[in-house]
Amino acid sequence: MGWTYCVIWFLFLSVSECWQLPNSEPVIHGEVQSPQYPRPYLPNLLKQWDLWVPEGYQIQLSLTHLDIKATLGCYQDSLTVLYDQKVLGKFCGQENSTDHPGQESVLSQGNRMTLIFQTGDSTPEDQQHIGFSAAYKAIDIDECSKPDSEDGSGPLCSQICINTPGSYRCSCHYDYKLHLDQRTCLLSCGGCIFDKHEGHLSSPGYPRPSPPFLSCKYIISVEPRFTVTLNFTDNFHIESMDTQQGPKCLHHWLQVTIPDREPMKLCGGKSPGLIATNSSTVRLDYHTDNEGLSHGWSLDYSTDVVKYPLKKCG
Ligand SMILES: *[C@@H]1O[C@H](CO)[C@@H](O)[C@H](O)[C@H]1NC(C)=O
Ligand SMILES: *[C@@H]1O[C@H](CO)[C@@H](O)[C@H](O)[C@H]1NC(C)=O
Ligand SMILES: *[C@@H]1O[C@H](CO)[C@@H](O)[C@H](O)[C@H]1NC(C)=O
């Protein structure tokens, strides 16, 4: 719970009876009673209440008083509680009788709940049953208690899930940062510019296998009169899928970007060896996710002065 939320909740608890979101009506708690309560109800009633609270909350309904003419299966007079057409409970009888849940409450799976109070035509006008009184309130859903996201795309958060009122957010361990998707944690790596005339680069943890969820960026940039040559060592392995057209980089890749040229995606088990980039600037992006395993790569780079072809005159 963030500090701001604490303040909001404090204000809500101390000042207001019901909390309203801007531009909408959902209240955070309330009461529902049968018509004319606490005077006896009439026959041939059909009354419906549609309750809703903000997204990220569910509704807890407690029957504070129940006095509905008892029939088998409550077929004559009844209070029915529904969520999305699904009956959560049907009630009749007196408080503390077997038909009544006693101190128990009814919980909806989402932020809506429907109550239907129905009385039959064989109920006499002068009967003494007074109906029901119920209280409801919004309960924060703990999204983090659910292991996976609803759309089946894996865990809600790849590392740490933090429940907040009405929602949740993801967080990451030290050295990782949250990806744009707001749920995946990426290891911070690369991010620096290599401006020396020769140097060495390798995948994080090399020669150990690369961790999952990497998104590393390396830039080699020297003066424009030099060109960069990459020399990959033989020890090269980036997870790939073998196809007839060669290895396909599905989950892991090392992308080499040279200005004004189509980026090259490298993967597979064969070292690319020497790559003469003919450019003074090269960008390398190393990406892994949690599918498969890459043993990594390493390279030395060197630079040469651009040799302009001699023009023959005359
Ligand atoms: C119903 O039962 C509860 C506890 O079991 C008791 O406190 C309450 O007084 C009872 N209500 C009536 C109307 O008997
Ligand atoms: C590339 O690196 C290898 C060692 O990994 C070395 O033997 C070779 O001479 C290098 N090639 C160039 C052109 O620098
Ligand atoms: C660099 O230039 C050489 C010779 O013009 C060419 O063969 C090579 O493919 C170029 N390298 C890249 C990465 O385009």
Side-chain angles (χ1 to χ4, degrees), residues 223-266:
E223 300 94 317
R225 58 199 174 84
F226 291 89
T227 62
V228 177
T229 300
L230 308 176
N231 186 1
F232 282 88
T233 61
D234 290 341
N235 234 339
F236 181 94
H237 176 261
I238 297 176
E239 174 78 21
S240 66
M241 205 182 79
D242 285 325
T243 65
Q244 278 175 344
Q245 290 80 42
K248 206 171 159 205
C249 312
L250 270 189
H251 297 283
H252 301 196
W253 60 79
L254 177 65
Q255 180 166 288
V256 179
T257 311
I258 301 161
D260 305 325
R261 253 168 290 171
E262 198 57 28
M264 283 182 270
K265 264 190 185 179
L266 307 177

Side-chain angles (χ1 to χ4, degrees), residues 12-300:
F12 156 63
L13 290 172
S14 57
V15 180
S16 60
E17 263 299 296
C18 62
W19 180 53
Q20 305 209 327
L21 284 180
N23 312 320
S24 57
E25 261 92 309
V27 286
I28 218 102
H29 64 88
E31 268 186 27
V32 183
Q33 294 172 335
S34 51
Q36 327 198 102
Y37 182 91
R39 286 185 289 125
Y41 60 78
L42 296 172
N44 296 312
L45 292 175
L46 177 60
K47 185 148 169 57
Q48 175 170 335
W49 294 264
D50 294 306
L51 313 178
W52 66 288
V53 293
E55 283 284 340
Y57 291 83
Q58 54 196 153
I59 300 179
Q60 187 181 51
L61 182 85
S62 309
L63 293 171
T64 47
H65 191 77
L66 187 83
D67 177 20
I68 297 175
K69 183 181 164 189
T71 47
L72 193 63
C74 307
Y75 79 93
Q76 223 172 60
D77 299 353
S78 65
L79 169 68
T80 309
V81 182
L82 302 109
Y83 171 71
D84 249 5
Q85 333 258 322
K86 191 176 142 226
V87 177
L88 302 177
K90 192 170 184 181
F91 305 105
C92 61
Q94 253 98 27
E95 194 175 6
N96 290 350
S97 72
T98 50
D99 301 321
H100 181 250
Q103 299 303 308
E104 276 173 52
S105 54
V106 187
L107 198 63
S108 71
Q109 289 96 314
N111 66 333
R112 299 176 309 282
M113 186 182 266
T114 301
L115 271 58
I116 297 173
F117 182 58
Q118 198 163 11
T119 63
D121 57 4
S122 58
T123 302
E125 291 264 352
D126 56 355
Q127 56 86 24
Q128 291 305 306
H129 298 293
I130 61 173
F132 74 93
S133 172
Y136 69 90
K137 62 178 175 184
I139 305 261
D140 179 36
I141 296 175
D142 182 6
E143 290 86 357
C144 297
S145 68
K146 291 183 243 160
D148 288 322
S149 61
E150 266 170 31
D151 58 10
S153 61
L156 278 183
C157 299
S158 72
Q159 287 185 352
I160 303 165
C161 182
I162 299 165
N163 186 44
T164 60
S167 187
Y168 71 96
R169 64 186 170 84
C170 299
S171 176
C172 301
H173 297 303
Y174 180 73
D175 252 9
Y176 286 78
K177 58 179 194 291
L178 200 59
H179 185 51
L180 287 176
D181 68 5
Q182 298 301 327
R183 62 193 265 198
T184 311
C185 295
L186 306 172
L187 186 67
S188 315
C189 48
C192 44
I193 295 178
F194 294 79
D195 58 0
K196 304 251 164 36
H197 286 171
E198 51 186 39
H200 180 80
L201 272 77
S202 60
S203 54
Y206 184 86
R208 280 178 285 118
S210 304
F213 300 119
L214 288 177
S215 175
C216 312
K217 181 170 81 178
Y218 312 87
I219 292 170
I220 303 171
S221 184
V222 292
E223 300 94 317
R225 58 199 174 84
F226 291 89
T227 62
V228 177
T229 300
L230 308 176
N231 186 1
F232 282 88
T233 61
D234 290 341
N235 234 339
F236 181 94
H237 176 261
I238 297 176
E239 174 78 21
S240 66
M241 205 182 79
D242 285 325
T243 65
Q244 278 175 344
Q245 290 80 42
K248 206 171 159 205
C249 312
L250 270 189
H251 297 283
H252 301 196
W253 60 79
L254 177 65
Q255 180 166 288
V256 179
T257 311
I258 301 161
D260 305 325
R261 253 168 290 171
E262 198 57 28
M264 283 182 270
K265 264 190 185 179
L266 307 177
C267 62
K270 193 173 171 292
S271 172
L274 273 184
I275 298 179
T277 66
N278 305 333
S279 164
S280 60
T281 306
V282 186
R283 177 177 158 164
L284 298 159
D285 291 283
Y286 186 41
H287 171 97
T288 67
D289 66 12
N290 60 342
E291 302 261 332
L293 186 76
S294 294
H295 295 291
W297 50 268
S298 95
L299 66 84
D300 292 300

